[in-house]
Amino acid sequence: MVKSKKTETDHINITKDLLLSSILPNVDFDGWSSTAFDQAIVDSGVERSLAHQAAPRGAIDLAVAFHKKGDELMKNGYQPENFSKLKYSEKVRELVKSRIQVSKAHKEAVRKGMSLFTLPPNINEGGQLIWNTSDVIWNILGDTSTDSNWYTKRTTLSAVYSSTVLFWLGDESDEATDTWNFLDRRIKNVMEIEKAKAKIKKTSFGQSVFNLLKLFQKPSDDHKSDFPGYNG
């Protein structure tokens, strides 16, 4: 069997993975900083020029890669057969829990990342990462909405996910029990809102509002370049 040659993109991705693995131990002490990035170059043995090619912005590019790696691990760990008997809200709950758990070995890196992406220059990118996580979860669950529901589902889940992560960062309970209870309460709140929306839809005013919302459509692949969660 002939092995395919690695492309430049492959080499860049391999380099970024090496740098990410090397920076994580230093993030606990130095955060996602230039100091941590420089040490990652030394520890990984990657040439400095190649390191800056893989991560032009330095540590912040590795912080982005760290978050996206968590999304990938959650997606790869999804087993449909384990979800077949769950209610829809329970499926969402388990995926949010899974997404947080894949990062539990690097809790401090998550904490430092939250601080990094709340800084004014990075806040938009931080929002995009959270939106993308929500988008991945809904896509895993086979969401087919194309109207305003596409937006509201991801907006609502982004709020649930981000608030749960913040709670988890301060949670010292055994097996993060308090965090999962917090998550249950947030999802219950969302379900109550959905029930209220269903009642409003039955009124003439509600029908008018929701008919207007139908004008909002899921963005096409050709018009996503500035949209949260876009990876093009």
Side-chain angles (χ1 to χ4, degrees):
M1 182 177 179
V2 179
K3 293 184 178 179
S4 59
K5 292 184 178 180
K6 286 185 172 62
T7 65
E8 182 179 356
T9 300
D10 291 331
H11 286 294
I12 291 296
N13 289 336
I14 291 171
T15 299
K16 187 177 288 186
D17 284 342
L18 282 172
L19 290 169
L20 179 56
S21 297
S22 298
I23 199 175
L24 283 171
N26 301 313
V27 169
D28 287 359
F29 305 100
D30 298 317
W32 296 97
S33 64
S34 57
T35 300
F37 183 71
D38 288 341
Q39 188 59 48
I41 294 175
V42 174
D43 293 344
S44 65
V46 171
E47 292 184 8
R48 182 167 292 273
S49 60
L50 183 57
H52 284 285
Q53 187 178 356
R57 297 181 299 166
I60 189 170
D61 281 333
L62 297 185
V64 170
F66 173 66
H67 184 93
K68 290 183 177 180
K69 179 69 71 174
D71 290 346
E72 182 182 343
L73 289 171
M74 172 191 63
K75 185 177 180 179
N76 292 341
Y78 171 68
Q79 296 180 319
E81 62 272 18
N82 294 337
F83 284 65
S84 60
K85 296 182 180 180
L86 298 180
K87 297 178 181 177
Y88 215 80
S89 60
E90 293 172 336
K91 293 178 181 180
V92 172
R93 188 243 194 212
E94 289 306 308
L95 283 172
V96 171
K97 181 179 179 180
S98 171
R99 177 61 184 85
I100 292 173
Q101 286 182 317
V102 299
S103 302
K104 68 179 181 180
H106 301 291
K107 194 170 186 176
E108 192 58 31
V110 176
R111 190 191 315 278
K112 296 293 174 59
M114 292 290 279
S115 298
L116 176 69
F117 288 113
T118 55
L119 295 175
N122 308 326
I123 196 166
N124 286 341
E125 189 163 17
Q128 289 172 359
L129 290 172
I130 292 173
W131 179 282
N132 192 64
T133 297
S134 300
D135 189 47
V136 171
I137 289 174
W138 281 118
N139 289 337
I140 287 174
L141 295 177
D143 178 44
T144 58
S145 59
T146 58
D147 56 8
S148 61
N149 284 322
W150 188 87
Y151 296 90
T152 57
K153 284 181 177 180
R154 285 151 182 79
T155 301
T156 302
L157 185 53
S158 292
V160 170
Y161 171 73
S162 57
S163 63
T164 304
V165 170
L166 284 172
F167 189 96
W168 172 69
L169 289 173
D171 186 8
E172 297 180 357
S173 63
D174 292 339
E175 302 297 325
T177 302
D178 289 349
T179 295
W180 314 136
N181 290 336
F182 176 87
L183 174 58
D184 288 338
R185 292 194 296 273
R186 297 290 74 76
I187 290 179
K188 182 180 179 181
N189 290 342
V190 171
M191 297 305 295
E192 289 172 350
I193 292 173
E194 290 301 314
K195 289 178 181 178
K197 282 169 59 179
K199 291 181 179 179
I200 294 173
K201 278 185 179 181
K202 294 179 180 179
T203 67
S204 57
F205 172 75
Q207 289 174 359
S208 299
V209 171
F210 284 98
N211 284 336
L212 179 62
L213 289 175
K214 288 180 181 178
L215 297 175
F216 292 91
Q217 296 293 309
K218 170 186 174 181
S220 67
D221 292 337
D222 295 332
H223 297 86
K224 284 186 176 179
S225 59
D226 294 320
F227 202 83
Y230 176 69
N231 291 317

